Amino acid sequence: MSEHKNPYPGENNTGHFWDDENDVRELNNRPPRWYMQAMAISIVAVVIYSFYYPSIPWFGDHYKGSAGWTQVGEMKESVAELEAYREKKFAATEQAIADSSLEDIVRDDELRTYAVKTAKVLFGDNCAACHGAGGQGNAGFPVLADDDWLFGGTLAKIEQSVTNGRKGNMPARMLGITDAQAGELATFLIETGKGEAGNPNPASKALYLTKGCIGCHGPTLKGNQMLGAANLSDGIYRFAADDQHASVVRTIVHGVNQGHDPLTQDAVMPAFGNSNVIDAVQLKKLVVYVHQLGGGVPVGPAPKKAKASNDPKYSPVAAASDSFADVIAAAEANYKKNIAQNAAWRDTGKMIKEAKKTKDAALAKKANTQAVNALRQASVALTASPTF
């Protein structure tokens, strides 16, 4: 066998060729200087990085780093930065919600949308564990996304529930009802709740009427929101279960929130208004969120406000400056208009006299404010009163 000869002996290659034509070959040159310098710098960077940040694992723990940096700390700084940004960006909207009534928030598209979006996290943190992420309810907890309410679905009632909490109550074995009677009554209620598809035994209604149920749930089984008594005619159950008959029997026999009975049904909602979990503005947003889940009682249009009259007789005189002379002059002019319109407040004239006597600028401003308010009241009364 002949010895393989390198066709490029002076080229400083390794003699390794990658193709038959010997065009592609492996050279034996040193790496570029910049490459070697970058590698040396990277070695130094690793040493500095390992000293500055947490790195080397020791026995039982690791090197903490000279910077004191942690992922948790960086996360908290990022959250704080985000919250500061949100607080600055939405300060005006947050203030508008604080200053507005619940009804006005719902009527305002921008405020309502903002309240719902920002309350989603609040609901998830404080309500979803019991009522479900979308208000669909969980076993033993009410649905918030329908229009069936124990205590009412108006904004005021929802606010009352969230603020003060709720605690259900139903006595066990009303008027000594037996187990057999409880089973018969449960069948009657379930069949009635099915509507036209149900087949309740008319004779069983006597149990409903004579065992005290009518006192809270009413003669038509529609319930009573003032008492938090459930509607028993719609087939919607506070304590829904796979075996609904057994669940209804349990409620009849063991009651609700009867502490002496270990088998009683539990129905308690915490009072968020008396805790440090959410503040007043967050509570408002949470109420609007629950109302908007789908079952809240619709909010009507805002009541029309009487427009102030443009009659010059009711236009207040403005003080030229904050000086005592200008303020007392405006107060006297406005008070004269009050008298002319039979709208003067009793003590305004006395306050003007006393202010002129004592040169009390604060009293003069108070007198002028009263006179101006009296004119505004008279103006509204004029436009709001009936005409013939």
Side-chain angles (χ1 to χ4, degrees):
M1 180 179 293
S2 62
E3 182 181 356
H4 175 74
K5 293 184 179 180
N6 188 339
Y8 307 98
E11 190 181 37
N12 192 29
N13 60 56
T14 63
H16 186 189
F17 298 90
W18 294 92
D19 65 342
D20 295 337
E21 302 297 330
N22 297 329
D23 292 331
V24 181
R25 50 202 181 273
E26 184 177 346
L27 302 181
N28 195 26
N29 297 332
R30 290 175 58 81
R33 182 173 296 178
W34 67 264
Y35 182 87
M36 299 302 296
Q37 291 173 344
M39 186 175 70
I41 292 173
S42 67
I43 294 173
V44 175
V46 167
V47 174
I48 296 175
Y49 189 96
S50 300
F51 175 76
Y52 192 74
Y53 289 105
S55 55
I56 305 173
W58 302 113
F59 297 100
D61 203 350
H62 66 278
Y63 174 65
K64 303 296 185 181
S66 62
W69 176 91
T70 64
Q71 288 181 323
V72 173
E74 184 176 14
M75 181 271 293
K76 290 181 178 179
E77 290 177 2
S78 299
V79 171
E81 183 179 351
L82 177 61
E83 289 178 348
Y85 167 77
R86 287 176 174 172
E87 183 177 354
K88 180 179 179 180
K89 181 177 177 62
F90 301 109
T93 308
E94 290 281 334
Q95 188 61 47
I97 288 181
D99 296 338
S100 302
S101 67
L102 290 167
E103 290 76 13
D104 288 341
I105 294 172
V106 172
R107 293 187 188 107
D108 189 293
D109 291 340
E110 182 180 351
L111 291 182
R112 182 182 66 252
T113 301
Y114 176 82
V116 170
K117 287 184 176 181
T118 54
K120 186 174 182 179
V121 174
L122 290 172
F123 187 88
D125 291 343
N126 300 284
C127 312
C130 296
H131 297 287
Q136 76 274 15
N138 282 321
F141 298 98
V143 176
L144 301 180
D146 61 11
D147 59 357
D148 186 82
W149 299 90
L150 289 172
F151 294 93
T154 64
L155 283 166
K157 288 294 185 180
I158 296 173
E159 181 184 29
Q160 187 178 3
S161 297
V162 177
T163 303
N164 302 324
R166 296 292 187 183
K167 185 173 182 178
N169 180 59
M170 175 175 165
R173 290 191 185 275
M174 283 290 290
L175 300 181
I177 191 170
T178 65
D179 289 347
Q181 290 173 330
E184 182 182 349
L185 179 58
T187 299
F188 169 76
L189 296 176
I190 290 174
E191 291 299 318
T192 301
K194 293 178 181 178
E196 295 181 358
N199 185 29
N201 182 2
S204 300
K205 189 172 183 179
L207 286 172
Y208 177 82
L209 297 175
T210 60
K211 291 300 181 179
C213 310
I214 189 174
C216 294
H217 299 281
T220 60
L221 288 75
K222 298 295 184 181
N224 187 335
Q225 292 183 350
M226 292 291 292
L227 303 174
N231 183 350
L232 302 179
S233 66
D234 58 5
I236 300 175
Y237 298 96
R238 167 65 177 81
F239 303 103
D242 293 335
D243 188 347
Q244 196 58 57
H245 186 272
S247 178
V248 174
V249 170
R250 176 184 170 184
T251 304
I252 296 171
V253 174
H254 301 285
V256 177
N257 289 333
Q258 303 301 304
H260 62 279
D261 191 336
L263 294 179
T264 191
Q265 301 274 29
D266 294 323
V268 179
M269 175 179 168
F272 288 97
N274 301 326
S275 69
N276 296 323
V277 177
I278 58 177
D279 59 32
V281 174
Q282 290 174 326
L283 191 144
K284 270 188 173 182
K285 293 191 287 188
L286 194 55
V287 170
V288 172
Y289 182 87
V290 172
H291 181 270
Q292 294 295 301
L293 281 174
V297 176
V299 176
K304 294 182 179 180
K305 296 181 180 179
K307 296 181 179 179
S309 171
N310 293 324
D311 194 325
K313 295 183 296 184
Y314 300 98
S315 299
V317 176
S321 70
D322 290 335
S323 68
F324 173 80
D326 288 336
V327 173
I328 200 67
E332 288 183 311
N334 289 322
Y335 183 59
K336 287 179 181 179
K337 287 190 174 187
N338 293 163
I339 295 174
Q341 305 306 322
N342 296 319
W345 293 6
R346 292 181 179 179
D347 58 343
T348 306
K350 294 180 180 179
M351 292 170 62
I352 291 174
K353 290 180 180 180
E354 183 66 22
K356 292 177 69 176
K357 181 179 179 181
T358 60
K359 303 298 182 182
D360 188 339
L363 187 60
K365 288 183 179 180
K366 185 175 180 181
N368 187 45
T369 300
Q370 277 198 1
V372 170
N373 288 339
L375 283 175
R376 289 172 177 168
Q377 287 184 348
S379 174
V380 171
L382 173 68
T383 57
S385 60
T387 57
F388 300 94

